[in-house]
PDB file of all heavy atoms in Angstrom:
ATOM      1  N   ALA A 155     105.351 201.271 197.760  1.00 97.00           N
ATOM      2  CA  ALA A 155     105.011 202.465 196.880  1.00 97.00           C
ATOM      3  C   ALA A 155     105.451 203.707 197.554  1.00 97.00           C
ATOM      4  O   ALA A 155     106.039 204.625 196.914  1.00 97.00           O
ATOM      5  CB  ALA A 155     103.493 202.505 196.627  1.00 97.00           C
ATOM      6  N   ARG A 156     105.290 203.807 198.918  1.00 96.00           N
ATOM      7  CA  ARG A 156     105.716 204.962 199.605  1.00 96.00           C
ATOM      8  C   ARG A 156     107.254 205.113 199.489  1.00 96.00           C
ATOM      9  O   ARG A 156     107.763 206.224 199.233  1.00 96.00           O
ATOM     10  CB  ARG A 156     105.314 204.904 201.101  1.00 96.00           C
ATOM     11  CG  ARG A 156     105.598 206.233 201.858  1.00 96.00           C
ATOM     12  CD  ARG A 156     105.292 206.010 203.346  1.00 96.00           C
ATOM     13  NE  ARG A 156     106.213 205.101 204.026  1.00 96.00           N
ATOM     14  CZ  ARG A 156     107.508 205.345 204.267  1.00 96.00           C
ATOM     15  NH1 ARG A 156     108.080 206.487 203.891  1.00 96.00           N
ATOM     16  NH2 ARG A 156     108.298 204.468 204.885  1.00 96.00           N
ATOM     17  N   GLN A 157     108.008 204.078 199.789  1.00 95.00           N
ATOM     18  CA  GLN A 157     109.417 204.098 199.670  1.00 95.00           C
ATOM     19  C   GLN A 157     110.038 204.379 198.335  1.00 95.00           C
ATOM     20  O   GLN A 157     111.074 204.966 198.113  1.00 95.00           O
ATOM     21  CB  GLN A 157     110.066 202.845 200.248  1.00 95.00           C
ATOM     22  CG  GLN A 157     109.901 202.601 201.678  1.00 95.00           C
ATOM     23  CD  GLN A 157     110.525 201.310 202.149  1.00 95.00           C
ATOM     24  OE1 GLN A 157     111.237 200.586 201.480  1.00 95.00           O
ATOM     25  NE2 GLN A 157     110.246 200.963 203.489  1.00 95.00           N
ATOM     26  N   ALA A 158     109.249 203.937 197.325  1.00 96.00           N
ATOM     27  CA  ALA A 158     109.685 204.183 195.950  1.00 96.00           C
ATOM     28  C   ALA A 158     109.164 205.494 195.290  1.00 96.00           C
ATOM     29  O   ALA A 158     109.504 205.900 194.192  1.00 96.00           O
ATOM     30  CB  ALA A 158     109.164 203.058 195.013  1.00 96.00           C
ATOM     31  N   GLY A 159     108.345 206.255 196.115  1.00 96.00           N
ATOM     32  CA  GLY A 159     107.904 207.554 195.654  1.00 96.00           C
ATOM     33  C   GLY A 159     106.851 207.458 194.479  1.00 96.00           C
ATOM     34  O   GLY A 159     106.829 208.376 193.634  1.00 96.00           O
ATOM     35  N   ILE A 160     106.128 206.350 194.445  1.00 96.00           N
ATOM     36  CA  ILE A 160     105.119 206.179 193.359  1.00 96.00           C
ATOM     37  C   ILE A 160     103.776 205.835 193.994  1.00 96.00           C
ATOM     38  O   ILE A 160     103.751 205.468 195.113  1.00 96.00           O
ATOM     39  CB  ILE A 160     105.572 205.091 192.380  1.00 96.00           C
ATOM     40  CG1 ILE A 160     105.762 203.732 193.005  1.00 96.00           C
ATOM     41  CG2 ILE A 160     106.787 205.456 191.615  1.00 96.00           C
ATOM     42  CD1 ILE A 160     106.112 202.611 192.092  1.00 96.00           C
ATOM     43  N   SER A 161     102.790 206.020 193.239  1.00 96.00           N
ATOM     44  CA  SER A 161     101.353 205.718 193.759  1.00 96.00           C
ATOM     45  C   SER A 161     101.150 204.210 193.926  1.00 96.00           C
ATOM     46  O   SER A 161     101.746 203.408 193.120  1.00 96.00           O
ATOM     47  CB  SER A 161     100.305 206.282 192.870  1.00 96.00           C
ATOM     48  OG  SER A 161     100.086 205.512 191.741  1.00 96.00           O
ATOM     49  N   GLU A 162     100.359 203.838 194.811  1.00 96.00           N
ATOM     50  CA  GLU A 162     100.081 202.462 195.094  1.00 96.00           C
ATOM     51  C   GLU A 162      99.337 201.790 193.841  1.00 96.00           C
ATOM     52  O   GLU A 162      99.564 200.687 193.541  1.00 96.00           O
ATOM     53  CB  GLU A 162      99.146 202.348 196.331  1.00 96.00           C
ATOM     54  CG  GLU A 162      99.185 200.985 196.888  1.00 96.00           C
ATOM     55  CD  GLU A 162      98.416 200.911 198.284  1.00 96.00           C
ATOM     56  OE1 GLU A 162      98.349 201.892 198.940  1.00 96.00           O
ATOM     57  OE2 GLU A 162      97.926 199.882 198.528  1.00 96.00           O
ATOM     58  N   VAL A 163      98.501 202.635 193.260  1.00 97.00           N
ATOM     59  CA  VAL A 163      97.743 202.118 192.065  1.00 97.00           C
ATOM     60  C   VAL A 163      98.729 201.826 190.935  1.00 97.00           C
ATOM     61  O   VAL A 163      98.608 200.766 190.367  1.00 97.00           O
ATOM     62  CB  VAL A 163      96.729 203.227 191.620  1.00 97.00           C
ATOM     63  CG1 VAL A 163      96.082 202.848 190.243  1.00 97.00           C
ATOM     64  CG2 VAL A 163      95.602 203.355 192.621  1.00 97.00           C
ATOM     65  N   TYR A 164      99.621 202.740 190.722  1.00 97.00           N
ATOM     66  CA  TYR A 164     100.648 202.525 189.690  1.00 97.00           C
ATOM     67  C   TYR A 164     101.505 201.212 190.009  1.00 97.00           C
ATOM     68  O   TYR A 164     101.641 200.432 189.070  1.00 97.00           O
ATOM     69  CB  TYR A 164     101.604 203.762 189.532  1.00 97.00           C
ATOM     70  CG  TYR A 164     102.723 203.560 188.498  1.00 97.00           C
ATOM     71  CD1 TYR A 164     102.491 203.806 187.216  1.00 97.00           C
ATOM     72  CD2 TYR A 164     104.008 203.096 188.941  1.00 97.00           C
ATOM     73  CE1 TYR A 164     103.435 203.706 186.243  1.00 97.00           C
ATOM     74  CE2 TYR A 164     104.970 202.960 187.990  1.00 97.00           C
ATOM     75  CZ  TYR A 164     104.772 203.257 186.733  1.00 97.00           C
ATOM     76  OH  TYR A 164     105.706 203.135 185.693  1.00 97.00           O
ATOM     77  N   LEU A 165     101.912 201.091 191.196  1.00 96.00           N
ATOM     78  CA  LEU A 165     102.668 199.969 191.611  1.00 96.00           C
ATOM     79  C   LEU A 165     101.914 198.640 191.372  1.00 96.00           C
ATOM     80  O   LEU A 165     102.508 197.664 190.881  1.00 96.00           O
ATOM     81  CB  LEU A 165     103.143 200.019 193.059  1.00 96.00           C
ATOM     82  CG  LEU A 165     104.083 198.922 193.522  1.00 96.00           C
ATOM     83  CD1 LEU A 165     105.424 198.937 192.819  1.00 96.00           C
ATOM     84  CD2 LEU A 165     104.225 198.927 194.996  1.00 96.00           C
ATOM     85  N   HIS A 166     100.596 198.645 191.767  1.00 96.00           N
ATOM     86  CA  HIS A 166      99.809 197.398 191.532  1.00 96.00           C
ATOM     87  C   HIS A 166      99.733 197.131 190.029  1.00 96.00           C
ATOM     88  O   HIS A 166      99.723 195.936 189.651  1.00 96.00           O
ATOM     89  CB  HIS A 166      98.397 197.580 192.130  1.00 96.00           C
ATOM     90  CG  HIS A 166      98.434 197.380 193.600  1.00 96.00           C
ATOM     91  ND1 HIS A 166      98.361 196.105 194.191  1.00 96.00           N
ATOM     92  CD2 HIS A 166      98.292 198.186 194.701  1.00 96.00           C
ATOM     93  CE1 HIS A 166      98.360 196.174 195.496  1.00 96.00           C
ATOM     94  NE2 HIS A 166      98.342 197.436 195.784  1.00 96.00           N
ATOM     95  N   GLN A 167      99.633 198.115 189.242  1.00 95.00           N
ATOM     96  CA  GLN A 167      99.560 197.946 187.766  1.00 95.00           C
ATOM     97  C   GLN A 167     100.825 197.398 187.260  1.00 95.00           C
ATOM     98  O   GLN A 167     100.797 196.536 186.311  1.00 95.00           O
ATOM     99  CB  GLN A 167      99.142 199.281 187.000  1.00 95.00           C
ATOM    100  CG  GLN A 167      97.838 199.842 187.312  1.00 95.00           C
ATOM    101  CD  GLN A 167      97.553 201.180 186.756  1.00 95.00           C
ATOM    102  OE1 GLN A 167      98.528 201.874 186.583  1.00 95.00           O
ATOM    103  NE2 GLN A 167      96.366 201.504 186.548  1.00 95.00           N
ATOM    104  N   VAL A 168     101.996 197.825 187.791  1.00 95.00           N
ATOM    105  CA  VAL A 168     103.277 197.245 187.365  1.00 95.00           C
ATOM    106  C   VAL A 168     103.304 195.680 187.721  1.00 95.00           C
ATOM    107  O   VAL A 168     103.604 194.872 186.866  1.00 95.00           O
ATOM    108  CB  VAL A 168     104.499 197.995 188.015  1.00 95.00           C
ATOM    109  CG1 VAL A 168     105.741 197.236 187.883  1.00 95.00           C
ATOM    110  CG2 VAL A 168     104.553 199.410 187.584  1.00 95.00           C
ATOM    111  N   PHE A 169     102.975 195.369 188.918  1.00 94.00           N
ATOM    112  CA  PHE A 169     102.973 194.013 189.391  1.00 94.00           C
ATOM    113  C   PHE A 169     101.918 193.163 188.641  1.00 94.00           C
ATOM    114  O   PHE A 169     102.141 191.905 188.544  1.00 94.00           O
ATOM    115  CB  PHE A 169     102.828 193.887 190.868  1.00 94.00           C
ATOM    116  CG  PHE A 169     104.092 194.070 191.646  1.00 94.00           C
ATOM    117  CD1 PHE A 169     104.444 195.324 192.190  1.00 94.00           C
ATOM    118  CD2 PHE A 169     104.926 193.014 191.818  1.00 94.00           C
ATOM    119  CE1 PHE A 169     105.645 195.478 192.873  1.00 94.00           C
ATOM    120  CE2 PHE A 169     106.200 193.147 192.508  1.00 94.00           C
ATOM    121  CZ  PHE A 169     106.504 194.370 193.100  1.00 94.00           C
ATOM    122  N   ALA A 170     100.840 193.751 188.203  1.00 92.00           N
ATOM    123  CA  ALA A 170      99.838 193.002 187.376  1.00 92.00           C
ATOM    124  C   ALA A 170     100.330 192.909 185.891  1.00 92.00           C
ATOM    125  O   ALA A 170      99.601 192.199 185.136  1.00 92.00           O
ATOM    126  CB  ALA A 170      98.528 193.729 187.465  1.00 92.00           C
ATOM    127  N   GLY A 171     101.363 193.538 185.529  1.00 89.00           N
ATOM    128  CA  GLY A 171     101.873 193.522 184.121  1.00 89.00           C
ATOM    129  C   GLY A 171     101.087 194.460 183.220  1.00 89.00           C
ATOM    130  O   GLY A 171     101.285 194.390 182.056  1.00 89.00           O
ATOM    131  N   ARG A 172     100.305 195.380 183.809  1.00 92.00           N
ATOM    132  CA  ARG A 172      99.530 196.249 183.003  1.00 92.00           C
ATOM    133  C   ARG A 172     100.285 197.593 182.634  1.00 92.00           C
ATOM    134  O   ARG A 172      99.948 198.354 181.721  1.00 92.00           O
ATOM    135  CB  ARG A 172      98.224 196.623 183.630  1.00 92.00           C
ATOM    136  CG  ARG A 172      97.245 195.469 183.701  1.00 92.00           C
ATOM    137  CD  ARG A 172      95.828 195.849 184.016  1.00 92.00           C
ATOM    138  NE  ARG A 172      95.738 196.625 185.261  1.00 92.00           N
ATOM    139  CZ  ARG A 172      95.593 196.157 186.443  1.00 92.00           C
ATOM    140  NH1 ARG A 172      95.464 194.888 186.636  1.00 92.00           N
ATOM    141  NH2 ARG A 172      95.456 196.944 187.500  1.00 92.00           N
ATOM    142  N   ARG A 173     101.295 197.871 183.443  1.00 93.00           N
ATOM    143  CA  ARG A 173     102.164 198.974 183.215  1.00 93.00           C
ATOM    144  C   ARG A 173     103.585 198.564 183.137  1.00 93.00           C
ATOM    145  O   ARG A 173     104.065 197.683 183.873  1.00 93.00           O
ATOM    146  CB  ARG A 173     102.049 200.024 184.336  1.00 93.00           C
ATOM    147  CG  ARG A 173     100.673 200.640 184.488  1.00 93.00           C
ATOM    148  CD  ARG A 173     100.338 201.707 183.477  1.00 93.00           C
ATOM    149  NE  ARG A 173     101.207 202.890 183.498  1.00 93.00           N
ATOM    150  CZ  ARG A 173     100.837 204.056 184.022  1.00 93.00           C
ATOM    151  NH1 ARG A 173      99.664 204.242 184.612  1.00 93.00           N
ATOM    152  NH2 ARG A 173     101.704 205.046 183.920  1.00 93.00           N
ATOM    153  N   ARG A 174     104.392 199.262 182.325  1.00 92.00           N
ATOM    154  CA  ARG A 174     105.815 198.990 182.210  1.00 92.00           C
ATOM    155  C   ARG A 174     106.494 200.234 182.789  1.00 92.00           C
ATOM    156  O   ARG A 174     106.434 201.282 182.172  1.00 92.00           O
ATOM    157  CB  ARG A 174     106.254 198.694 180.739  1.00 92.00           C
ATOM    158  CG  ARG A 174     107.652 198.362 180.636  1.00 92.00           C
ATOM    159  CD  ARG A 174     108.044 198.058 179.173  1.00 92.00           C
ATOM    160  NE  ARG A 174     109.403 197.680 179.024  1.00 92.00           N
ATOM    161  CZ  ARG A 174     110.368 198.585 178.676  1.00 92.00           C
ATOM    162  NH1 ARG A 174     110.103 199.842 178.507  1.00 92.00           N
ATOM    163  NH2 ARG A 174     111.549 198.168 178.562  1.00 92.00           N
ATOM    164  N   PRO A 175     107.218 200.096 183.869  1.00 96.00           N
ATOM    165  CA  PRO A 175     107.795 201.321 184.403  1.00 96.00           C
ATOM    166  C   PRO A 175     108.916 201.840 183.529  1.00 96.00           C
ATOM    167  O   PRO A 175     109.677 201.114 182.962  1.00 96.00           O
ATOM    168  CB  PRO A 175     108.301 200.855 185.800  1.00 96.00           C
ATOM    169  CG  PRO A 175     108.553 199.356 185.645  1.00 96.00           C
ATOM    170  CD  PRO A 175     107.475 198.878 184.641  1.00 96.00           C
ATOM    171  N   SER A 176     109.067 203.177 183.561  1.00 96.00           N
ATOM    172  CA  SER A 176     110.186 203.820 182.815  1.00 96.00           C
ATOM    173  C   SER A 176     111.468 203.412 183.606  1.00 96.00           C
ATOM    174  O   SER A 176     111.453 202.885 184.687  1.00 96.00           O
ATOM    175  CB  SER A 176     110.005 205.320 182.873  1.00 96.00           C
ATOM    176  OG  SER A 176     110.203 205.764 184.222  1.00 96.00           O
ATOM    177  N   ARG A 177     112.618 203.729 183.023  1.00 97.00           N
ATOM    178  CA  ARG A 177     113.873 203.384 183.630  1.00 97.00           C
ATOM    179  C   ARG A 177     113.974 204.022 185.045  1.00 97.00           C
ATOM    180  O   ARG A 177     114.340 203.393 185.983  1.00 97.00           O
ATOM    181  CB  ARG A 177     114.991 203.803 182.745  1.00 97.00           C
ATOM    182  CG  ARG A 177     116.431 203.421 183.225  1.00 97.00           C
ATOM    183  CD  ARG A 177     117.512 203.783 182.304  1.00 97.00           C
ATOM    184  NE  ARG A 177     118.791 203.317 182.637  1.00 97.00           N
ATOM    185  CZ  ARG A 177     119.606 204.105 183.332  1.00 97.00           C
ATOM    186  NH1 ARG A 177     119.350 205.300 183.650  1.00 97.00           N
ATOM    187  NH2 ARG A 177     120.866 203.609 183.584  1.00 97.00           N
ATOM    188  N   ASP A 178     113.629 205.302 185.163  1.00 98.00           N
ATOM    189  CA  ASP A 178     113.678 205.988 186.361  1.00 98.00           C
ATOM    190  C   ASP A 178     112.738 205.436 187.439  1.00 98.00           C
ATOM    191  O   ASP A 178     113.102 205.342 188.580  1.00 98.00           O
ATOM    192  CB  ASP A 178     113.521 207.536 186.195  1.00 98.00           C
ATOM    193  CG  ASP A 178     114.665 208.259 185.693  1.00 98.00           C
ATOM    194  OD1 ASP A 178     115.767 207.621 185.461  1.00 98.00           O
ATOM    195  OD2 ASP A 178     114.597 209.440 185.344  1.00 98.00           O
ATOM    196  N   ARG A 179     111.590 205.105 186.959  1.00 97.00           N
ATOM    197  CA  ARG A 179     110.523 204.568 187.916  1.00 97.00           C
ATOM    198  C   ARG A 179     111.017 203.211 188.420  1.00 97.00           C
ATOM    199  O   ARG A 179     110.818 202.787 189.538  1.00 97.00           O
ATOM    200  CB  ARG A 179     109.161 204.430 187.273  1.00 97.00           C
ATOM    201  CG  ARG A 179     108.463 205.688 187.120  1.00 97.00           C
ATOM    202  CD  ARG A 179     108.021 206.233 188.438  1.00 97.00           C
ATOM    203  NE  ARG A 179     107.447 207.469 188.293  1.00 97.00           N
ATOM    204  CZ  ARG A 179     107.434 208.570 189.140  1.00 97.00           C
ATOM    205  NH1 ARG A 179     107.971 208.306 190.240  1.00 97.00           N
ATOM    206  NH2 ARG A 179     106.732 209.627 188.854  1.00 97.00           N
ATOM    207  N   LEU A 180     111.654 202.436 187.508  1.00 97.00           N
ATOM    208  CA  LEU A 180     112.203 201.066 187.831  1.00 97.00           C
ATOM    209  C   LEU A 180     113.284 201.222 188.949  1.00 97.00           C
ATOM    210  O   LEU A 180     113.342 200.552 189.890  1.00 97.00           O
ATOM    211  CB  LEU A 180     112.686 200.313 186.640  1.00 97.00           C
ATOM    212  CG  LEU A 180     113.105 198.919 186.916  1.00 97.00           C
ATOM    213  CD1 LEU A 180     112.027 197.974 187.591  1.00 97.00           C
ATOM    214  CD2 LEU A 180     113.535 198.227 185.580  1.00 97.00           C
ATOM    215  N   LEU A 181     114.170 202.255 188.685  1.00 98.00           N
ATOM    216  CA  LEU A 181     115.109 202.532 189.658  1.00 98.00           C
ATOM    217  C   LEU A 181     114.544 202.952 191.052  1.00 98.00           C
ATOM    218  O   LEU A 181     115.060 202.516 192.057  1.00 98.00           O
ATOM    219  CB  LEU A 181     116.129 203.611 189.180  1.00 98.00           C
ATOM    220  CG  LEU A 181     117.062 203.179 188.087  1.00 98.00           C
ATOM    221  CD1 LEU A 181     117.680 204.366 187.411  1.00 98.00           C
ATOM    222  CD2 LEU A 181     118.093 202.249 188.597  1.00 98.00           C
ATOM    223  N   CYS A 182     113.495 203.692 190.989  1.00 98.00           N
ATOM    224  CA  CYS A 182     112.765 204.008 192.303  1.00 98.00           C
ATOM    225  C   CYS A 182     112.284 202.764 192.972  1.00 98.00           C
ATOM    226  O   CYS A 182     112.368 202.667 194.139  1.00 98.00           O
ATOM    227  CB  CYS A 182     111.605 204.932 191.972  1.00 98.00           C
ATOM    228  SG  CYS A 182     112.040 206.652 191.497  1.00 98.00           S
ATOM    229  N   ILE A 183     111.718 201.859 192.169  1.00 97.00           N
ATOM    230  CA  ILE A 183     111.223 200.557 192.779  1.00 97.00           C
ATOM    231  C   ILE A 183     112.426 199.789 193.348  1.00 97.00           C
ATOM    232  O   ILE A 183     112.337 199.214 194.402  1.00 97.00           O
ATOM    233  CB  ILE A 183     110.402 199.794 191.773  1.00 97.00           C
ATOM    234  CG1 ILE A 183     109.094 200.561 191.348  1.00 97.00           C
ATOM    235  CG2 ILE A 183     110.079 198.368 192.304  1.00 97.00           C
ATOM    236  CD1 ILE A 183     108.371 200.033 190.132  1.00 97.00           C
ATOM    237  N   CYS A 184     113.520 199.745 192.574  1.00 97.00           N
ATOM    238  CA  CYS A 184     114.719 199.114 193.112  1.00 97.00           C
ATOM    239  C   CYS A 184     115.187 199.608 194.455  1.00 97.00           C
ATOM    240  O   CYS A 184     115.505 198.853 195.397  1.00 97.00           O
ATOM    241  CB  CYS A 184     115.843 199.230 192.166  1.00 97.00           C
ATOM    242  SG  CYS A 184     115.726 198.286 190.642  1.00 97.00           S
ATOM    243  N   LEU A 185     115.049 200.963 194.607  1.00 97.00           N
ATOM    244  CA  LEU A 185     115.442 201.556 195.895  1.00 97.00           C
ATOM    245  C   LEU A 185     114.405 201.118 196.948  1.00 97.00           C
ATOM    246  O   LEU A 185     114.798 200.908 198.136  1.00 97.00           O
ATOM    247  CB  LEU A 185     115.518 203.102 195.736  1.00 97.00           C
ATOM    248  CG  LEU A 185     116.687 203.559 194.960  1.00 97.00           C
ATOM    249  CD1 LEU A 185     116.454 205.002 194.376  1.00 97.00           C
ATOM    250  CD2 LEU A 185     117.897 203.566 195.839  1.00 97.00           C
ATOM    251  N   GLY A 186     113.169 201.115 196.591  1.00 96.00           N
ATOM    252  CA  GLY A 186     112.128 200.727 197.515  1.00 96.00           C
ATOM    253  C   GLY A 186     112.231 199.263 198.087  1.00 96.00           C
ATOM    254  O   GLY A 186     112.004 199.070 199.197  1.00 96.00           O
ATOM    255  N   VAL A 187     112.671 198.379 197.204  1.00 96.00           N
ATOM    256  CA  VAL A 187     112.838 196.953 197.614  1.00 96.00           C
ATOM    257  C   VAL A 187     114.280 196.763 198.142  1.00 96.00           C
ATOM    258  O   VAL A 187     114.606 195.607 198.537  1.00 96.00           O
ATOM    259  CB  VAL A 187     112.471 195.927 196.522  1.00 96.00           C
ATOM    260  CG1 VAL A 187     111.049 195.985 196.146  1.00 96.00           C
ATOM    261  CG2 VAL A 187     113.425 196.049 195.318  1.00 96.00           C
ATOM    262  N   GLU A 188     115.004 197.797 198.211  1.00 95.00           N
ATOM    263  CA  GLU A 188     116.400 197.713 198.629  1.00 95.00           C
ATOM    264  C   GLU A 188     117.222 196.651 197.833  1.00 95.00           C
ATOM    265  O   GLU A 188     118.008 195.831 198.428  1.00 95.00           O
ATOM    266  CB  GLU A 188     116.520 197.412 200.147  1.00 95.00           C
ATOM    267  CG  GLU A 188     115.949 198.594 201.025  1.00 95.00           C
ATOM    268  CD  GLU A 188     115.967 198.282 202.453  1.00 95.00           C
ATOM    269  OE1 GLU A 188     116.142 197.120 202.907  1.00 95.00           O
ATOM    270  OE2 GLU A 188     115.945 199.201 203.220  1.00 95.00           O
ATOM    271  N   ALA A 189     117.049 196.722 196.534  1.00 96.00           N
ATOM    272  CA  ALA A 189     117.886 195.790 195.731  1.00 96.00           C
ATOM    273  C   ALA A 189     119.342 196.186 195.802  1.00 96.00           C
ATOM    274  O   ALA A 189     119.647 197.350 196.016  1.00 96.00           O
ATOM    275  CB  ALA A 189     117.366 196.076 194.215  1.00 96.00           C
ATOM    276  N   THR A 190     120.207 195.116 195.573  1.00 97.00           N
ATOM    277  CA  THR A 190     121.644 195.386 195.495  1.00 97.00           C
ATOM    278  C   THR A 190     121.855 196.046 194.098  1.00 97.00           C
ATOM    279  O   THR A 190     121.010 196.037 193.239  1.00 97.00           O
ATOM    280  CB  THR A 190     122.406 194.098 195.598  1.00 97.00           C
ATOM    281  OG1 THR A 190     122.082 193.250 194.518  1.00 97.00           O
ATOM    282  CG2 THR A 190     122.104 193.355 196.902  1.00 97.00           C
ATOM    283  N   LEU A 191     123.084 196.560 193.936  1.00 97.00           N
ATOM    284  CA  LEU A 191     123.372 197.156 192.635  1.00 97.00           C
ATOM    285  C   LEU A 191     123.329 196.054 191.539  1.00 97.00           C
ATOM    286  O   LEU A 191     122.814 196.311 190.530  1.00 97.00           O
ATOM    287  CB  LEU A 191     124.828 197.726 192.680  1.00 97.00           C
ATOM    288  CG  LEU A 191     125.206 198.471 191.333  1.00 97.00           C
ATOM    289  CD1 LEU A 191     124.276 199.566 190.990  1.00 97.00           C
ATOM    290  CD2 LEU A 191     126.613 198.999 191.467  1.00 97.00           C
ATOM    291  N   ASP A 192     123.803 194.831 191.777  1.00 96.00           N
ATOM    292  CA  ASP A 192     123.709 193.726 190.832  1.00 96.00           C
ATOM    293  C   ASP A 192     122.261 193.436 190.553  1.00 96.00           C
ATOM    294  O   ASP A 192     121.899 193.247 189.384  1.00 96.00           O
ATOM    295  CB  ASP A 192     124.380 192.459 191.374  1.00 96.00           C
ATOM    296  CG  ASP A 192     125.915 192.611 191.293  1.00 96.00           C
ATOM    297  OD1 ASP A 192     126.447 193.453 190.666  1.00 96.00           O
ATOM    298  OD2 ASP A 192     126.590 191.723 192.034  1.00 96.00           O
ATOM    299  N   GLU A 193     121.418 193.423 191.527  1.00 96.00           N
ATOM    300  CA  GLU A 193     120.017 193.184 191.292  1.00 96.00           C
ATOM    301  C   GLU A 193     119.346 194.278 190.449  1.00 96.00           C
ATOM    302  O   GLU A 193     118.585 193.958 189.489  1.00 96.00           O
ATOM    303  CB  GLU A 193     119.227 192.959 192.604  1.00 96.00           C
ATOM    304  CG  GLU A 193     119.614 191.696 193.338  1.00 96.00           C
ATOM    305  CD  GLU A 193     119.092 191.621 194.780  1.00 96.00           C
ATOM    306  OE1 GLU A 193     118.884 192.769 195.396  1.00 96.00           O
ATOM    307  OE2 GLU A 193     118.980 190.552 195.330  1.00 96.00           O
ATOM    308  N   ALA A 194     119.694 195.517 190.746  1.00 97.00           N
ATOM    309  CA  ALA A 194     119.134 196.644 190.061  1.00 97.00           C
ATOM    310  C   ALA A 194     119.658 196.572 188.566  1.00 97.00           C
ATOM    311  O   ALA A 194     118.882 196.828 187.617  1.00 97.00           O
ATOM    312  CB  ALA A 194     119.613 197.970 190.666  1.00 97.00           C
ATOM    313  N   GLN A 195     120.927 196.273 188.367  1.00 96.00           N
ATOM    314  CA  GLN A 195     121.480 196.167 187.026  1.00 96.00           C
ATOM    315  C   GLN A 195     120.746 195.042 186.239  1.00 96.00           C
ATOM    316  O   GLN A 195     120.410 195.172 185.031  1.00 96.00           O
ATOM    317  CB  GLN A 195     123.016 195.952 187.024  1.00 96.00           C
ATOM    318  CG  GLN A 195     123.817 196.997 187.724  1.00 96.00           C
ATOM    319  CD  GLN A 195     123.937 198.290 186.873  1.00 96.00           C
ATOM    320  OE1 GLN A 195     122.947 198.820 186.336  1.00 96.00           O
ATOM    321  NE2 GLN A 195     125.125 198.771 186.715  1.00 96.00           N
TER     322      GLN A 195
END
């Protein structure tokens, strides 16, 4: 959550399937997990 610039509560909601991240938020999460470009795409 810290690396992705989002709140921990929001991140937990995403992983629980209760929130669907916007495209930009999903890109932030990709950066946080150090996804490759192929994985992010």
Side-chain angles (χ1 to χ4, degrees):
R156 189 188 65 71
Q157 289 181 9
I160 59 178
S161 79
E162 197 173 337
V163 170
Y164 179 84
L165 185 67
H166 281 283
Q167 291 172 340
V168 168
F169 276 96
R172 291 192 309 268
R173 296 285 297 257
R174 182 176 183 269
S176 67
R177 184 174 185 267
D178 283 354
R179 288 290 181 209
L180 185 56
L181 286 166
C182 289
I183 294 170
C184 287
L185 288 159
V187 296
E188 296 181 339
T190 65
L191 183 58
D192 286 342
E193 291 166 338
Q195 298 286 49

